[in-house]
Amino acid sequence: FWDTFRSQFPLTNILHPTLQGRYMQSLLDAQEQYGWFPTWSCPGPSGIMIGNHAISLLTDAWVKGIRNFDAEKALKAYFHEITGKGPWGGSNGREACKDYFELGYIPYPEVSEATARTLEYAYDDFCGYQLAKAVGNSFYEQVFARQMYNYKNVWDPSVGFMRGRQKDGT
């Protein structure tokens, strides 16, 4: 569902809520079976996409009234996703998750696509925050609130763009 999380899934949640509810449950089933959320299966985990966008699908469905899945289970699975590195390259877990938590960004050039990863992770953490807030889970709400503004850490006002930041902050 790479990039379809930005438009197709939000629209389909409105147009076909029953079908989408089944899809949301299948995301949790896949996570339970494999230990990680799928990101872009072609036909299996490919390791070529960044971000943890299953949480954006689950959150969008929840806020649109699709409630046939366990939101607490989704939050727990997402927390697992962001605090470790999965087995399939960039497709599961978080690359340099320790740096992301400690520095507030993914350092460049140590990690490829560092700035893009920082932006994607911040968006996903915003989604996790929204789901946690919607279900009243203050623990996860606090965890994701701490991370969801990390996009600001790669903004360079001197050029007016996002830019990679080295581990030392430069």
Side-chain angles (χ1 to χ4, degrees):
F1 52 79
W2 190 256
D3 284 333
T4 58
F5 75 93
R6 302 180 198 273
S7 57
Q8 178 186 333
F9 276 91
L11 177 62
T12 309
N13 282 337
I14 295 168
L15 298 177
H16 305 289
T18 301
L19 177 67
Q20 286 301 94
R22 292 178 190 142
Y23 192 91
M24 297 310 129
Q25 184 56 52
S26 75
L27 286 175
L28 291 175
D29 292 344
Q31 194 282 334
E32 186 176 310
Q33 292 170 18
Y34 297 111
W36 303 92
F37 280 122
T39 52
W40 194 45
S41 54
C42 58
S46 61
I48 61 172
M49 292 297 175
I50 61 174
N52 312 99
H53 303 309
I55 194 64
S56 71
L57 301 183
L58 292 159
T59 300
D60 186 66
W62 190 267
V63 300
K64 288 180 177 160
I66 299 171
R67 306 278 169 87
N68 70 314
F69 63 93
D70 185 342
E72 293 292 337
K73 187 175 180 181
L75 290 166
K76 182 179 179 183
Y78 180 62
F79 182 76
H80 169 73
E81 191 87 17
I82 71 168
T83 56
K85 182 67 187 97
W88 302 294
S91 286
N92 301 98
R94 284 217 169 142
E95 189 76 37
C97 61
K98 184 177 178 193
D99 286 329
Y100 185 74
F101 282 112
E102 292 176 2
L103 301 172
Y105 58 92
I106 302 296
Y108 173 85
E110 287 89 343
V111 177
S112 67
E113 304 170 297
T115 307
R117 288 179 192 277
T118 299
L119 297 173
E120 298 289 345
Y121 295 169
Y123 168 73
D124 291 328
D125 288 344
F126 169 79
C127 293
Y129 169 83
Q130 294 299 328
L131 183 58
K133 188 175 179 179
V135 300
N137 187 314
S138 61
F139 172 76
Y140 288 125
E141 189 177 338
Q142 290 173 17
V143 169
F144 305 137
R146 180 178 177 265
Q147 307 300 120
M148 68 184 187
Y149 292 111
N150 281 352
Y151 71 91
K152 293 179 181 182
N153 297 329
V154 293
W155 171 252
D156 184 346
S158 71
V159 295
F161 290 102
M162 304 294 184
R163 287 189 9 171
R165 183 177 296 270
Q166 296 179 0
K167 202 166 195 166
D168 67 3
T170 58

PDB file of all heavy atoms in Angstrom, residues 90-112:
ATOM      1  N   GLY A  90      14.546  -1.958   4.676  1.00  0.00           N
ATOM      2  CA  GLY A  90      13.809  -0.777   5.108  1.00  0.00           C
ATOM      3  C   GLY A  90      12.334  -0.995   5.320  1.00  0.00           C
ATOM      4  O   GLY A  90      11.620  -0.088   5.718  1.00  0.00           O
ATOM      5  N   SER A  91      11.847  -2.194   5.045  1.00  0.00           N
ATOM      6  CA  SER A  91      10.402  -2.407   5.074  1.00  0.00           C
ATOM      7  C   SER A  91       9.811  -2.638   6.447  1.00  0.00           C
ATOM      8  O   SER A  91       8.619  -2.571   6.605  1.00  0.00           O
ATOM      9  CB  SER A  91      10.026  -3.603   4.190  1.00  0.00           C
ATOM     10  OG  SER A  91      10.135  -3.252   2.842  1.00  0.00           O
ATOM     11  N   ASN A  92      10.584  -2.987   7.419  1.00  0.00           N
ATOM     12  CA  ASN A  92      10.015  -3.285   8.730  1.00  0.00           C
ATOM     13  C   ASN A  92      10.868  -2.668   9.818  1.00  0.00           C
ATOM     14  O   ASN A  92      12.081  -2.594   9.712  1.00  0.00           O
ATOM     15  CB  ASN A  92       9.926  -4.801   8.949  1.00  0.00           C
ATOM     16  CG  ASN A  92       9.073  -5.445   7.889  1.00  0.00           C
ATOM     17  OD1 ASN A  92       9.591  -5.973   6.934  1.00  0.00           O
ATOM     18  ND2 ASN A  92       7.778  -5.376   8.062  1.00  0.00           N
ATOM     19  N   GLY A  93      10.200  -2.256  10.868  1.00  0.00           N
ATOM     20  CA  GLY A  93      10.919  -1.627  11.964  1.00  0.00           C
ATOM     21  C   GLY A  93      11.452  -0.269  11.543  1.00  0.00           C
ATOM     22  O   GLY A  93      11.034   0.303  10.546  1.00  0.00           O
ATOM     23  N   ARG A  94      12.389   0.224  12.331  1.00  0.00           N
ATOM     24  CA  ARG A  94      12.965   1.535  12.036  1.00  0.00           C
ATOM     25  C   ARG A  94      14.469   1.440  11.920  1.00  0.00           C
ATOM     26  O   ARG A  94      15.149   0.973  12.830  1.00  0.00           O
ATOM     27  CB  ARG A  94      12.626   2.533  13.141  1.00  0.00           C
ATOM     28  CG  ARG A  94      11.210   2.989  13.039  1.00  0.00           C
ATOM     29  CD  ARG A  94      11.085   4.443  13.395  1.00  0.00           C
ATOM     30  NE  ARG A  94       9.754   4.873  13.034  1.00  0.00           N
ATOM     31  CZ  ARG A  94       9.041   5.718  13.744  1.00  0.00           C
ATOM     32  NH1 ARG A  94       9.516   6.225  14.845  1.00  0.00           N
ATOM     33  NH2 ARG A  94       7.856   6.073  13.342  1.00  0.00           N
ATOM     34  N   GLU A  95      14.940   1.910  10.797  1.00  0.00           N
ATOM     35  CA  GLU A  95      16.376   2.044  10.608  1.00  0.00           C
ATOM     36  C   GLU A  95      16.869   3.113  11.570  1.00  0.00           C
ATOM     37  O   GLU A  95      16.265   4.179  11.678  1.00  0.00           O
ATOM     38  CB  GLU A  95      16.654   2.459   9.157  1.00  0.00           C
ATOM     39  CG  GLU A  95      18.080   2.436   8.755  1.00  0.00           C
ATOM     40  CD  GLU A  95      18.589   1.032   8.526  1.00  0.00           C
ATOM     41  OE1 GLU A  95      17.838   0.187   8.016  1.00  0.00           O
ATOM     42  OE2 GLU A  95      19.755   0.785   8.864  1.00  0.00           O
ATOM     43  N   ALA A  96      17.922   2.816  12.296  1.00  0.00           N
ATOM     44  CA  ALA A  96      18.541   3.772  13.229  1.00  0.00           C
ATOM     45  C   ALA A  96      17.536   4.296  14.253  1.00  0.00           C
ATOM     46  O   ALA A  96      17.530   5.483  14.584  1.00  0.00           O
ATOM     47  CB  ALA A  96      19.209   4.909  12.469  1.00  0.00           C
ATOM     48  N   CYS A  97      16.692   3.414  14.773  1.00  0.00           N
ATOM     49  CA  CYS A  97      15.644   3.859  15.702  1.00  0.00           C
ATOM     50  C   CYS A  97      16.239   4.487  16.962  1.00  0.00           C
ATOM     51  O   CYS A  97      15.668   5.439  17.499  1.00  0.00           O
ATOM     52  CB  CYS A  97      14.696   2.724  16.041  1.00  0.00           C
ATOM     53  SG  CYS A  97      15.422   1.300  16.840  1.00  0.00           S
ATOM     54  N   LYS A  98      17.365   4.012  17.422  1.00  0.00           N
ATOM     55  CA  LYS A  98      17.989   4.595  18.614  1.00  0.00           C
ATOM     56  C   LYS A  98      18.379   6.049  18.350  1.00  0.00           C
ATOM     57  O   LYS A  98      18.115   6.933  19.173  1.00  0.00           O
ATOM     58  CB  LYS A  98      19.203   3.777  19.036  1.00  0.00           C
ATOM     59  CG  LYS A  98      19.843   4.260  20.303  1.00  0.00           C
ATOM     60  CD  LYS A  98      21.011   3.389  20.733  1.00  0.00           C
ATOM     61  CE  LYS A  98      21.633   3.978  21.988  1.00  0.00           C
ATOM     62  NZ  LYS A  98      22.922   3.379  22.296  1.00  0.00           N
ATOM     63  N   ASP A  99      18.991   6.303  17.206  1.00  0.00           N
ATOM     64  CA  ASP A  99      19.336   7.680  16.846  1.00  0.00           C
ATOM     65  C   ASP A  99      18.087   8.540  16.714  1.00  0.00           C
ATOM     66  O   ASP A  99      18.065   9.696  17.138  1.00  0.00           O
ATOM     67  CB  ASP A  99      20.112   7.726  15.531  1.00  0.00           C
ATOM     68  CG  ASP A  99      21.541   7.245  15.670  1.00  0.00           C
ATOM     69  OD1 ASP A  99      22.135   7.420  16.758  1.00  0.00           O
ATOM     70  OD2 ASP A  99      22.077   6.703  14.685  1.00  0.00           O
ATOM     71  N   TYR A 100      17.052   7.985  16.126  1.00  0.00           N
ATOM     72  CA  TYR A 100      15.816   8.749  15.952  1.00  0.00           C
ATOM     73  C   TYR A 100      15.247   9.183  17.306  1.00  0.00           C
ATOM     74  O   TYR A 100      14.819  10.327  17.473  1.00  0.00           O
ATOM     75  CB  TYR A 100      14.795   7.922  15.178  1.00  0.00           C
ATOM     76  CG  TYR A 100      13.526   8.671  14.854  1.00  0.00           C
ATOM     77  CD1 TYR A 100      13.505   9.645  13.874  1.00  0.00           C
ATOM     78  CD2 TYR A 100      12.341   8.408  15.531  1.00  0.00           C
ATOM     79  CE1 TYR A 100      12.338  10.332  13.568  1.00  0.00           C
ATOM     80  CE2 TYR A 100      11.171   9.081  15.231  1.00  0.00           C
ATOM     81  CZ  TYR A 100      11.178  10.047  14.252  1.00  0.00           C
ATOM     82  OH  TYR A 100      10.025  10.733  13.963  1.00  0.00           O
ATOM     83  N   PHE A 101      15.271   8.286  18.272  1.00  0.00           N
ATOM     84  CA  PHE A 101      14.767   8.634  19.608  1.00  0.00           C
ATOM     85  C   PHE A 101      15.702   9.592  20.339  1.00  0.00           C
ATOM     86  O   PHE A 101      15.247  10.507  21.014  1.00  0.00           O
ATOM     87  CB  PHE A 101      14.550   7.376  20.453  1.00  0.00           C
ATOM     88  CG  PHE A 101      13.289   6.643  20.122  1.00  0.00           C
ATOM     89  CD1 PHE A 101      13.332   5.394  19.516  1.00  0.00           C
ATOM     90  CD2 PHE A 101      12.049   7.186  20.402  1.00  0.00           C
ATOM     91  CE1 PHE A 101      12.166   4.718  19.195  1.00  0.00           C
ATOM     92  CE2 PHE A 101      10.878   6.519  20.089  1.00  0.00           C
ATOM     93  CZ  PHE A 101      10.939   5.275  19.482  1.00  0.00           C
ATOM     94  N   GLU A 102      17.000   9.384  20.210  1.00  0.00           N
ATOM     95  CA  GLU A 102      17.957  10.210  20.962  1.00  0.00           C
ATOM     96  C   GLU A 102      18.244  11.555  20.300  1.00  0.00           C
ATOM     97  O   GLU A 102      18.333  12.577  20.981  1.00  0.00           O
ATOM     98  CB  GLU A 102      19.254   9.437  21.166  1.00  0.00           C
ATOM     99  CG  GLU A 102      19.088   8.255  22.109  1.00  0.00           C
ATOM    100  CD  GLU A 102      20.349   7.419  22.259  1.00  0.00           C
ATOM    101  OE1 GLU A 102      21.401   7.772  21.659  1.00  0.00           O
ATOM    102  OE2 GLU A 102      20.281   6.405  22.973  1.00  0.00           O
ATOM    103  N   LEU A 103      18.427  11.559  18.975  1.00  0.00           N
ATOM    104  CA  LEU A 103      18.771  12.788  18.265  1.00  0.00           C
ATOM    105  C   LEU A 103      17.538  13.540  17.763  1.00  0.00           C
ATOM    106  O   LEU A 103      17.596  14.741  17.548  1.00  0.00           O
ATOM    107  CB  LEU A 103      19.673  12.477  17.063  1.00  0.00           C
ATOM    108  CG  LEU A 103      20.996  11.779  17.338  1.00  0.00           C
ATOM    109  CD1 LEU A 103      21.669  11.374  16.027  1.00  0.00           C
ATOM    110  CD2 LEU A 103      21.904  12.687  18.169  1.00  0.00           C
ATOM    111  N   GLY A 104      16.476  12.804  17.512  1.00  0.00           N
ATOM    112  CA  GLY A 104      15.276  13.415  16.944  1.00  0.00           C
ATOM    113  C   GLY A 104      15.290  13.436  15.426  1.00  0.00           C
ATOM    114  O   GLY A 104      14.476  14.101  14.792  1.00  0.00           O
ATOM    115  N   TYR A 105      16.206  12.704  14.807  1.00  0.00           N
ATOM    116  CA  TYR A 105      16.282  12.574  13.359  1.00  0.00           C
ATOM    117  C   TYR A 105      17.164  11.372  13.041  1.00  0.00           C
ATOM    118  O   TYR A 105      17.861  10.847  13.905  1.00  0.00           O
ATOM    119  CB  TYR A 105      16.854  13.834  12.700  1.00  0.00           C
ATOM    120  CG  TYR A 105      18.246  14.205  13.194  1.00  0.00           C
ATOM    121  CD1 TYR A 105      19.391  13.737  12.532  1.00  0.00           C
ATOM    122  CD2 TYR A 105      18.419  15.009  14.311  1.00  0.00           C
ATOM    123  CE1 TYR A 105      20.659  14.064  12.989  1.00  0.00           C
ATOM    124  CE2 TYR A 105      19.676  15.344  14.769  1.00  0.00           C
ATOM    125  CZ  TYR A 105      20.797  14.870  14.102  1.00  0.00           C
ATOM    126  OH  TYR A 105      22.046  15.191  14.556  1.00  0.00           O
ATOM    127  N   ILE A 106      17.113  10.947  11.792  1.00  0.00           N
ATOM    128  CA  ILE A 106      17.984   9.884  11.314  1.00  0.00           C
ATOM    129  C   ILE A 106      19.229  10.557  10.742  1.00  0.00           C
ATOM    130  O   ILE A 106      19.121  11.438   9.890  1.00  0.00           O
ATOM    131  CB  ILE A 106      17.275   9.024  10.232  1.00  0.00           C
ATOM    132  CG1 ILE A 106      15.983   8.424  10.769  1.00  0.00           C
ATOM    133  CG2 ILE A 106      18.218   7.951   9.709  1.00  0.00           C
ATOM    134  CD1 ILE A 106      16.149   7.445  11.906  1.00  0.00           C
ATOM    135  N   PRO A 107      20.403  10.185  11.215  1.00  0.00           N
ATOM    136  CA  PRO A 107      21.623  10.869  10.772  1.00  0.00           C
ATOM    137  C   PRO A 107      22.063  10.493   9.352  1.00  0.00           C
ATOM    138  O   PRO A 107      21.965   9.342   8.945  1.00  0.00           O
ATOM    139  CB  PRO A 107      22.667  10.429  11.796  1.00  0.00           C
ATOM    140  CG  PRO A 107      22.189   9.123  12.301  1.00  0.00           C
ATOM    141  CD  PRO A 107      20.694   9.183  12.246  1.00  0.00           C
ATOM    142  N   TYR A 108      22.526  11.506   8.654  1.00  0.00           N
ATOM    143  CA  TYR A 108      23.082  11.371   7.318  1.00  0.00           C
ATOM    144  C   TYR A 108      24.589  11.570   7.411  1.00  0.00           C
ATOM    145  O   TYR A 108      25.017  12.438   8.161  1.00  0.00           O
ATOM    146  CB  TYR A 108      22.456  12.426   6.395  1.00  0.00           C
ATOM    147  CG  TYR A 108      23.084  12.480   5.035  1.00  0.00           C
ATOM    148  CD1 TYR A 108      22.662  11.613   4.046  1.00  0.00           C
ATOM    149  CD2 TYR A 108      24.100  13.376   4.748  1.00  0.00           C
ATOM    150  CE1 TYR A 108      23.247  11.637   2.797  1.00  0.00           C
ATOM    151  CE2 TYR A 108      24.692  13.407   3.507  1.00  0.00           C
ATOM    152  CZ  TYR A 108      24.264  12.528   2.531  1.00  0.00           C
ATOM    153  OH  TYR A 108      24.850  12.548   1.299  1.00  0.00           O
ATOM    154  N   PRO A 109      25.415  10.849   6.745  1.00  0.00           N
ATOM    155  CA  PRO A 109      25.175   9.844   5.720  1.00  0.00           C
ATOM    156  C   PRO A 109      25.162   8.405   6.254  1.00  0.00           C
ATOM    157  O   PRO A 109      25.183   7.465   5.465  1.00  0.00           O
ATOM    158  CB  PRO A 109      26.347  10.031   4.763  1.00  0.00           C
ATOM    159  CG  PRO A 109      27.484  10.391   5.660  1.00  0.00           C
ATOM    160  CD  PRO A 109      26.850  11.209   6.781  1.00  0.00           C
ATOM    161  N   GLU A 110      25.120   8.239   7.558  1.00  0.00           N
ATOM    162  CA  GLU A 110      25.144   6.885   8.131  1.00  0.00           C
ATOM    163  C   GLU A 110      24.018   6.000   7.605  1.00  0.00           C
ATOM    164  O   GLU A 110      24.183   4.800   7.451  1.00  0.00           O
ATOM    165  CB  GLU A 110      25.056   6.920   9.667  1.00  0.00           C
ATOM    166  CG  GLU A 110      26.316   7.389  10.352  1.00  0.00           C
ATOM    167  CD  GLU A 110      26.364   8.897  10.537  1.00  0.00           C
ATOM    168  OE1 GLU A 110      25.586   9.623   9.860  1.00  0.00           O
ATOM    169  OE2 GLU A 110      27.168   9.355  11.349  1.00  0.00           O
ATOM    170  N   VAL A 111      22.862   6.599   7.353  1.00  0.00           N
ATOM    171  CA  VAL A 111      21.689   5.854   6.897  1.00  0.00           C
ATOM    172  C   VAL A 111      21.212   6.467   5.588  1.00  0.00           C
ATOM    173  O   VAL A 111      21.073   7.688   5.485  1.00  0.00           O
ATOM    174  CB  VAL A 111      20.563   5.911   7.961  1.00  0.00           C
ATOM    175  CG1 VAL A 111      19.321   5.198   7.477  1.00  0.00           C
ATOM    176  CG2 VAL A 111      21.051   5.343   9.288  1.00  0.00           C
ATOM    177  N   SER A 112      20.969   5.604   4.605  1.00  0.00           N
ATOM    178  CA  SER A 112      20.461   6.118   3.330  1.00  0.00           C
ATOM    179  C   SER A 112      19.051   6.677   3.517  1.00  0.00           C
ATOM    180  O   SER A 112      18.295   6.210   4.367  1.00  0.00           O
ATOM    181  CB  SER A 112      20.466   5.023   2.263  1.00  0.00           C
ATOM    182  OG  SER A 112      19.524   4.020   2.576  1.00  0.00           O
TER     183      SER A 112
END
